[in-house]
Amino acid sequence: MATTPTGTPPPKAPKVNRIGLQVVDYRGGKTTLCAGCGHNAISERIIDAMYEMGVKPEQVAKFSGIGCSSKSPAYFMNRSHSFNSVHGRMPSVATGAILANKNLIALGVTGDGDTVSIGAGQFVHLMRRNLPIIYVIEDNGCYGLTKGQFSATADLGSTLKTGIVNDLPPVDTCMLAIQLGATMVGRSFSGDKKQLHAMLKAAIAHKGTVMLDVVSPCVTFNDHEGSTKSYKYVLDHEEPLHEVDFVPSFENISVEYDPGTAFEVTMHDGSHLRLRKLEEDYNPTDKIQAMTRLMEAHAKGEVLTGVFYINANAPTFIDMLNVTDQPLATLPQSVTRPSREALEQCMEELR
Ligand SMILES: Cc1ncc(C[n+]2csc(CCOP(=O)(O)OP(=O)(O)O)c2C)c(N)n1
Ligand code: SF4
Ligand SMILES: [Mg+2]
């Protein structure tokens, strides 16, 4: 081993990613969420995925609404842009920001209450547009921040800590997103480190709207017997559709699979998403199969996880609007502002 003149080994060079950053460059403030909250594990996976994909933190714009989940962008990537918006209104804020600067990588992190209770209208319209955004729901089936009331993703028959039974059926955010037009839709679990990590990396490579519903137990208000969003329930009932492997375009790894055992998706940047089949001939490009399988999972009380649907080639909202190559936010006034003569001519035409 090489040594310094004093005989001690030289300090090890810190590990860096392909753009020369250390994992600490992707960290944020110290979490104020409860110890053991699933949301903290999701923040860790986001940090790892962004680091491994070599994403420039300054290129990322984080968006959230209101809730414990919506606080979590403060706990990762503090060099990125961030907008903590109003309850249920993150989609419109994110849409405006991305239209203004299409070079940003948009990451929305929100809750089940934020998304499908107060924010259902905004969520629905975001999913229809294929705006390039990664939309992560940290789904604990309750309003954690306001002390654990049922949210609209709580399962029929599940109970609150007080014993109150939920007598309304849940909204399945994945079924909703698939039906509405999101182009990468999946469900994972905050406790499934490997699967969530691979799905987040694929989400970063995807061009279009990614909607990931991540079951994320609330240890303080919704982790008891009778809850279907508790660690125990999810561990006992998780049914992964496939093993998710993601090979980014900058890693030249070729993995051989027996014919018919894996479904491979080539992403627009040349990355590969490989879904190693664990059951039936599941085809994640078939919306009808996705909806059927999700309905079956509900009937059986399964927590189905994996990439349910993907279309790697659909035009995004930005493509459809045919905006200028240079982001609108960076265009000078001389380009965005019509001249006095042009305005006068316009007024003349209206007379
Ligand atoms: C307009 C408005 N209505 C209600 C509230 C109260 N409120 C704050 S957070 C929240 C629900 C949060 O639930 P969720 O999005 O699931 O986040 P979690 O805390 O469970 O992570 C509610 C109803 C609010 N802040 N603003
Ligand atoms: S109340 Fe629940 S959702 Fe909020 S930080 Fe605590 S464990 Fe997480
Ligand atoms: Mg919640």
Side-chain angles (χ1 to χ4, degrees):
M1 188 194 290
T3 54
T4 58
T6 57
T8 51
K12 265 196 190 160
K15 212 173 147 207
V16 293
N17 64 6
R18 67 184 178 123
I19 60 164
L21 297 182
Q22 299 176 39
V23 75
V24 29
D25 295 310
Y26 292 81
R27 297 210 167 276
K30 192 172 175 322
T31 181
T32 59
L33 303 182
C34 307
C37 175
H39 303 351
N40 286 328
I42 300 172
S43 297
E44 290 300 318
R45 299 294 79 73
I46 292 173
I47 290 169
D48 292 346
M50 290 283 183
Y51 165 76
E52 283 185 23
M53 290 294 283
V55 175
K56 200 171 161 205
E58 291 76 7
Q59 206 191 334
V60 173
K62 306 177 287 183
F63 300 99
S64 63
I66 298 292
C68 299
S69 36
S70 290
K71 286 167 69 178
S72 55
Y75 314 133
F76 58 84
M77 299 184 81
N78 60 5
R79 285 166 52 172
S80 304
H81 305 274
S82 198
F83 199 119
N84 184 203
S85 73
V86 180
H87 197 23
R89 274 62 171 183
M90 179 259 273
S92 50
V93 173
T95 304
I98 296 311
L99 289 184
N101 190 345
K102 68 189 177 69
N103 291 352
L104 292 173
I105 296 171
L107 171 64
V109 176
T110 170
D112 41 313
D114 201 60
T115 298
V116 270
S117 295
I118 196 167
Q122 295 227 346
F123 175 69
V124 161
H125 290 282
L126 180 70
M127 294 298 118
R128 293 171 61 222
R129 294 185 169 139
N130 204 25
L131 183 84
I133 184 169
I134 305 164
Y135 189 101
V136 176
I137 304 176
E138 300 188 331
D139 188 355
N140 52 18
C142 71
Y143 303 161
L145 191 71
T146 54
K147 298 196 180 298
Q149 303 86 345
F150 287 126
S151 77
T153 66
D155 284 307
L156 184 65
S158 60
T159 57
L160 290 183
K161 255 180 155 176
T162 52
I164 294 172
V165 179
N166 182 28
D167 49 14
L168 294 174
V171 172
D172 186 315
T173 54
C174 292
M175 291 179 75
L176 202 55
I178 294 168
Q179 190 268 320
L180 291 165
T183 49
M184 177 177 166
V185 178
R187 175 165 290 129
S188 191
F189 169 42
S190 63
D192 192 336
K193 197 169 170 177
K194 187 167 175 275
Q195 185 199 52
L196 180 56
H197 182 61
M199 279 167 65
L200 283 168
K201 288 204 285 185
I204 294 167
H206 183 72
K207 184 171 161 263
T209 299
V210 179
M211 205 300 289
L212 297 182
D213 181 277
V214 185
V215 184
S216 176
C218 168
V219 285
T220 303
F221 297 110
N222 205 10
D223 199 31
H224 50 275
E225 176 91 37
S227 159
T228 59
K229 303 277 197 244
S230 64
Y231 280 108
K232 179 161 184 354
Y233 187 90
V234 185
L235 285 167
D236 290 348
H237 295 82
E238 185 182 4
E239 282 294 326
L241 260 181
H242 29 232
E243 272 178 23
V244 184
D245 274 335
F246 177 76
V247 182
S249 54
F250 54 85
E251 272 175 20
N252 215 352
I253 302 172
S254 78
V255 186
E256 293 293 325
Y257 289 102
D258 290 338
T261 59
F263 195 99
E264 176 149 334
V265 183
T266 304
M267 322 279 290
H268 83 107
D269 66 348
S271 306
H272 294 281
L273 174 64
R274 291 199 182 108
L275 305 172
R276 201 151 64 78
K277 295 172 188 175
L278 294 179
E279 64 170 68
E280 70 212 53
D281 269 346
Y282 190 82
N283 176 351
T285 64
D286 180 347
K287 281 193 180 190
I288 296 175
Q289 196 184 18
M291 296 298 245
T292 309
R293 189 62 190 86
L294 279 161
M295 288 184 86
E296 278 170 16
H298 279 289
K300 293 191 213 160
E302 290 172 356
V303 182
L304 191 68
T305 61
V307 179
F308 302 142
Y309 177 71
I310 186 158
N311 175 356
N313 302 309
T316 68
F317 196 42
I318 303 283
D319 299 330
M320 288 182 265
L321 290 178
N322 201 17
V323 289
T324 53
D325 275 347
Q326 189 179 341
L328 300 177
T330 63
L331 290 175
Q333 272 203 10
S334 57
V335 178
T336 55
R337 197 171 179 177
S339 64
R340 178 170 292 276
E341 297 71 42
L343 278 176
E344 272 165 11
Q345 190 190 336
C346 184
M347 293 306 288
E348 201 53 44
E349 282 165 15
L350 293 173
R351 266 188 242 275

